[in-house]
Amino acid sequence: MDHPDSAVRSASDALLQSVELAEAAEELGMDGAYFRVHHFARQLGSPTALLAAVGARTSRIEIGTGVVDMRYVNPLGFAEDVAAADLLSGGRVQLGVSRGSPEQVIDGWRYFGFDPADGETDADMARRHTDVFLRAVEGMQFAAPNPRPMFPNPPGLLRIEPYSPGLRERIWWGAASDSTARWAAGKGMHLMSSTLKADESGEPLHVQQRRQIEAFRDEWALHDHGVEPRVSVSRSIVAITSDTDRRYFLDSSERGDQFGQIEPGLRAVFGRSYTAEPDRLVEQLAQDEAIRAADTVLITVPTQLGADYNAHLLESILTHVAPELGWR
C-alpha cells in the first residue's frame, strides 16, 4: 500500500523485494522461500513468473508457494508454466496448491472463467482442477496429434510441454482439515498446514495440527508413492534482539490462539504468534507439538517492513533460535 509506514508501496516493490528477500534468505543459509498467492488483492497473484525470477537469482534454495488457489487455475496452462519455472530453477520448485482461502471478492474464480459443474461445489472444482494438473505434470500423454502438424511429433499421443521430471513428486496440498490431509496423502501430495486450521476438537492449534500430521502419515503409509512424505507447518516467529524489534513487536508477545468463523459453516482456530526474547522463544517453540512432528517450518514474515529488515528477522532466528532447537 502507498502509505508512509510501508516499505512496500507498489506492486513493483512487492515483486522485486520478494526476489531480494529470497536472495538474502539463501545467503543466510535458509532452506527455501515460499510465497503466498491471493487474487484481487494487493499482494502476489502471479506465482509462476515470480518463481522463475527467484530461480534465476538463486542457486540452492527451494522455491515454492503456500498456496495456489486451484479454483482459479487452468490446469493445463498452469502445468506448462510451473514446469517451465521448475526447469529454469534446476528442479527446485516445491509447489503448494489448495482449495484456497476466503476471498477478496465473491466467487472470484468466476471472473477467471471457471464454474463448478452440475452438482459440484467450488471445493470439488478445485480438486477436479488439481487432478487434471497432477496428470499433466506427471507426463500423461492424452492429446491426439494433428496428422499435418506444424512441427514433427513423436509417436503416439502428446503430453503437455515442457515436461519437468520429478516435479510431480514436489507438489504439496494446503489442508485445513484432517480429512483433506488424508485425501492429499492418498494423492501423493505432501502436506502444508498453515497458521489457520478447521477447529475439529477445540484444542490448541499445535495439538490439532499434530493429530492432522499423524492422520496424513497414516494414510500415506497405505499407498506406494515411491517417495517419503513431507510435512510443513507455518508459524509467525519473531526473535526480539533490538530496540526496533521491541518497538514493532513486543506488545504482541502474549497473544494466544483464537477461534472464530472464517466463512459460513467453518469454525477455525488461528495460531498464535511467537514473539519474544530468544531464550523465551526457544522455550515456547519447544512445546509446539506440530513443529516437533513436522519436518519443515515455514516462517511467515511481515513483508511490508521491507526486505532488509526481514533479512534481519530471519538471521536472528537462525543465529539465536534454530541451533537451540536442533533445527537444520
Side-chain angles (χ1 to χ4, degrees):
M1 63 181 68
D2 187 13
H3 187 279
D5 293 334
S6 176
V8 190
R9 303 287 187 89
S10 67
S12 176
D13 289 342
L15 290 164
L16 294 174
Q17 289 185 31
S18 293
V19 177
E20 291 168 7
L21 185 55
E23 289 182 285
E26 180 167 88
E27 292 171 4
L28 289 169
M30 303 291 284
D31 294 315
Y34 288 68
F35 302 95
R36 286 174 168 162
V37 181
H38 293 285
H39 299 289
F40 297 104
R42 294 182 178 181
Q43 298 186 19
L44 303 173
S46 50
T48 53
L50 180 56
L51 294 180
V54 171
R57 296 273 288 271
T58 59
S59 61
R60 179 189 58 81
I61 57 172
E62 297 177 346
I63 53 176
T65 52
V67 290
V68 176
D69 188 333
M70 293 301 285
R71 295 174 295 181
Y72 284 79
V73 164
N74 176 312
L76 299 184
F78 188 50
E80 290 181 336
D81 291 345
V82 174
D86 192 47
L87 291 168
L88 287 167
S89 70
R92 289 185 285 131
V93 168
Q94 299 282 343
L95 188 79
V97 300
S98 188
R99 171 262 187 188
S101 57
E103 303 178 82
Q104 294 296 107
V105 300
I106 298 170
D107 295 345
W109 28 270
R110 294 188 189 277
Y111 296 100
F112 280 58
F114 301 112
D115 285 291
D118 290 344
E120 274 191 333
T121 66
D122 61 318
D124 295 332
M125 180 176 67
R127 294 190 185 200
R128 172 167 53 84
H129 285 181
T130 301
D131 283 336
V132 176
F133 170 76
L134 292 176
R135 291 194 295 270
V137 296
E138 69 189 10
M140 178 182 176
Q141 296 172 271
F142 61 92
N146 188 335
R148 290 185 291 276
M150 182 176 294
F151 312 107
N153 281 323
L157 299 176
L158 302 183
R159 68 187 182 192
I160 287 293
E161 300 288 352
Y163 167 70
S164 184
L167 175 60
R168 172 62 179 86
E169 298 174 356
R170 288 178 271 114
I171 310 299
W172 303 59
W173 183 263
S177 67
D178 292 0
S179 63
T180 52
R182 286 190 289 267
W183 175 82
K187 293 289 184 180
M189 292 185 285
H190 307 291
L191 174 64
M192 279 186 172
S193 194
S194 74
T195 53
L196 181 152
K197 182 188 177 298
D199 175 26
E200 299 182 80
S201 69
E203 296 170 294
L205 172 72
H206 72 104
V207 176
Q208 294 198 47
Q209 276 188 324
R210 189 258 301 161
R211 297 186 192 280
Q212 182 189 44
I213 292 168
E214 292 170 350
F216 169 79
R217 288 188 171 137
D218 287 346
E219 180 66 30
W220 189 285
L222 301 177
H223 305 270
D224 183 17
H225 294 310
V227 295
E228 290 298 314
R230 289 185 62 184
V231 174
S232 73
V233 294
S234 299
R235 293 292 184 268
S236 176
I237 303 172
V238 174
I240 303 294
T241 61
S242 71
D243 290 339
T244 301
D245 299 338
R246 292 183 184 89
R247 185 168 67 251
Y248 280 138
F249 298 109
L250 199 54
D251 64 349
S252 65
S253 60
E254 297 304 318
R255 291 179 184 168
D257 289 350
Q258 300 178 56
F259 293 80
Q261 298 288 135
I262 60 169
E263 57 185 50
L266 178 58
R267 176 178 163 84
V269 53
F270 304 81
R272 56 164 296 180
S273 295
Y274 287 99
T275 306
E277 308 283 350
D279 55 348
R280 178 60 180 146
L281 203 55
V282 169
E283 293 176 4
Q284 294 172 350
L285 293 168
Q287 302 304 312
D288 191 307
E289 296 181 14
I291 287 180
R292 293 202 304 267
D295 58 75
T296 300
V297 179
L298 300 183
I299 300 170
T300 66
V301 295
T303 49
Q304 72 274 14
L305 296 178
D308 290 342
Y309 183 73
N310 276 287
H312 153 72
L313 294 179
L314 295 175
E315 185 173 23
S316 295
I317 293 171
L318 284 172
T319 303
H320 302 292
V321 178
E324 298 299 321
L325 292 166
W327 294 356
R328 154 55 207 94

